[in-house]
Amino acid sequence: MPFTGTLPPPSGTEAEMTRHIHTMYALSTSHWVTQITRAAADLRIADHVAEGRVTAEAIAAAESSHPRSTYRLMRACVTVGILGHSDEEGFFLTPVGELLRTDTPVSMRDGVMVQGARGHWQSWGLFPEAVRSGRNQVEQAVGGRHLFDYFARNPQESALFSRSMSNSTSIVSRDIVTLLDLGDAAQVVDLGGADGELLLSLMRANRAIHGAVFDLPTVVEGARQAAEKAGVTERFTAVGGDFFETVPAADYYLLKWILHDWPDEQCVQILRNCREAARPGARVLVVEALIGAAEGPDPIALLDMNMLSVSDGQERSLAEYDTLFAAAGWRRVAQTPTRTLYWLIELEAV
């Protein structure tokens, strides 16, 4: 029997409730999008499409993946905005999808892979427990007091994280190079600098400075290789160590996305170690997001939840950072926003 009748238009109240239902559905299923995007990155779909493989069959052959499942994934990528599709062209990259290419200067592929990989993903699965206890659940999820403990035992994921940090740094480093005045600083030390993307950008722009990346011994080899590729090895040193113990002497310290990883006491210890090792007149650049009051939507509040999930740290307000600086013998002398979420905060010794 054919369908009969016509549904009445929804009332204003019904339409509003439908919108709320759709919003909550999107919120509760957003983890689907994370893993769809991760799978697209893992299969290098953006690279393949850019190289002319515009069908699921071609990509499946290149990746040894299941053709029908690959098509279903690519169809979902159209829905989330990574790909487009037409009968004439097949699949094509959107501007968002271009960011998953490995050969673009602002590639976000590694970062997408990290967010969906075991270290972050398993820890987020225990997030309610983190909120209840006030402590991350990394040990219960993957083992290790902190995500970096897990990375120390999983070098492949650690390397992925380091590359993602370098890619993210490349986005903000252009602003830092433009805004930062190193003055007469001769020796610049990048604490926790991973592959050294920020430091190397500064060294390329200022051939008078010598630089050192100070990071875990398992990490600094990547910095050495990056310095060689950048052609600055004669002015560059990679030093393995623990910034909770001691740091090298410097005229200028770079602390990019370091303090938000740690609780207050350990932040003060890092800053105090810098104060003790600093040369006369030394300064510090802190690069961090600044969280606001709960007066409206704030993307930093979401970033703060990631810190609760996978670290012992948190995002902080400028006033909260000032308290840490003062406790370690530094004072803030300047701050300026970048075109990203992050601020540049310069310190001098008290």
Side-chain angles (χ1 to χ4, degrees):
M1 179 176 230
F3 299 113
T4 60
T6 303
L7 291 174
S11 68
T13 300
E14 290 172 332
E16 183 178 12
M17 178 56 69
T18 298
R19 288 195 298 272
H20 296 333
I21 290 171
H22 288 168
T23 297
M24 183 54 69
Y25 182 80
L27 291 173
S28 65
T29 59
S30 59
H31 63 291
W32 298 354
V33 178
T34 299
Q35 291 296 359
I36 289 167
T37 310
R38 178 193 175 205
D42 186 57
L43 268 65
R44 300 182 182 274
I45 284 175
D47 286 345
H48 289 304
V49 172
E51 292 168 2
R53 300 180 188 91
V54 297
T55 66
E57 292 76 13
I59 292 176
E63 290 291 328
S64 300
S65 60
H66 186 270
R68 178 60 182 172
S69 296
T70 303
Y71 171 78
R72 292 167 65 189
L73 170 64
M74 295 175 73
R75 181 174 58 189
C77 285
V78 173
T79 297
V80 301
I82 295 171
L83 296 175
H85 183 271
S86 70
D87 292 338
E88 297 77 20
E89 299 179 57
F91 288 99
F92 57 89
L93 287 173
T94 66
V96 172
E98 290 280 349
L99 296 173
L100 287 182
R101 292 176 60 175
T102 57
D103 59 353
T104 179
V106 290
S107 174
M108 297 180 68
R109 177 180 181 269
D110 293 324
V112 165
M113 296 282 286
V114 164
Q115 292 301 321
R118 185 167 181 259
H120 281 77
W121 191 253
Q122 295 291 98
S123 300
W124 267 100
L126 297 175
F127 185 66
E129 289 84 348
V131 176
R132 289 182 181 277
S133 67
R135 298 181 61 182
N136 74 68
Q137 299 296 298
V138 173
E139 185 171 3
Q140 289 77 3
V142 294
R145 180 67 191 88
H146 193 279
L147 189 61
F148 295 119
D149 295 335
Y150 167 76
F151 285 155
R153 302 191 314 276
N154 294 271
Q156 186 173 0
E157 196 166 335
S158 177
L160 187 67
F161 179 77
S162 291
R163 292 197 304 272
S164 75
M165 289 296 97
S166 293
N167 291 337
S168 298
T169 299
S170 68
I171 298 173
V172 72
S173 64
R174 290 172 294 179
D175 287 1
I176 296 175
V177 169
T178 299
L179 294 169
L180 184 60
D181 180 5
L182 290 170
D184 57 359
Q187 181 67 29
V188 179
V189 173
D190 191 352
L191 297 180
D195 291 348
E197 173 66 30
L198 173 57
L199 177 62
L200 295 176
S201 295
L202 290 170
M203 292 178 69
R204 284 191 292 264
N206 188 337
R207 298 188 177 277
I209 64 172
H210 288 70
V213 164
F214 184 82
D215 211 319
L216 297 172
T218 56
V219 173
V220 293
E221 180 56 34
R224 291 191 187 96
Q225 294 174 6
E228 183 176 354
K229 184 177 180 180
V232 297
T233 52
E234 73 283 356
R235 295 186 287 129
F236 178 85
T237 307
V239 182
D242 182 347
F243 50 39
F244 294 118
E245 299 295 330
T246 186
V247 302
D251 301 303
Y252 210 108
Y253 291 99
L254 305 174
L255 286 169
K256 177 186 60 62
W257 307 335
I258 300 299
L259 298 182
H260 77 157
D261 283 331
W262 305 102
D264 290 354
E265 311 80 55
Q266 289 176 285
C267 289
V268 171
Q269 187 61 55
I270 296 169
L271 291 163
R272 188 172 289 143
N273 287 342
C274 293
R275 182 67 182 88
E276 292 174 356
R279 294 174 176 172
R283 291 174 289 162
V284 176
L285 178 71
V286 173
V287 183
E288 294 288 359
L290 298 177
I291 197 165
E295 297 173 350
D298 183 356
I300 311 307
L302 302 182
L303 183 58
D304 187 43
M305 293 298 92
N306 187 59
M307 305 317 295
L308 176 58
S309 178
V310 302
S311 80
D312 293 325
Q314 64 181 87
E315 303 304 330
R316 297 177 173 90
S317 68
L318 188 58
E320 288 171 324
Y321 275 119
D322 280 342
T323 299
L324 302 181
F325 303 152
W330 298 96
R331 65 184 170 205
R332 172 172 53 93
V333 293
Q335 70 280 331
T336 187
T338 68
R339 289 173 292 183
T340 70
L341 295 175
Y342 300 98
W343 284 69
L344 310 186
I345 306 168
E346 188 172 63
L347 315 179
E348 67 178 18
V350 176

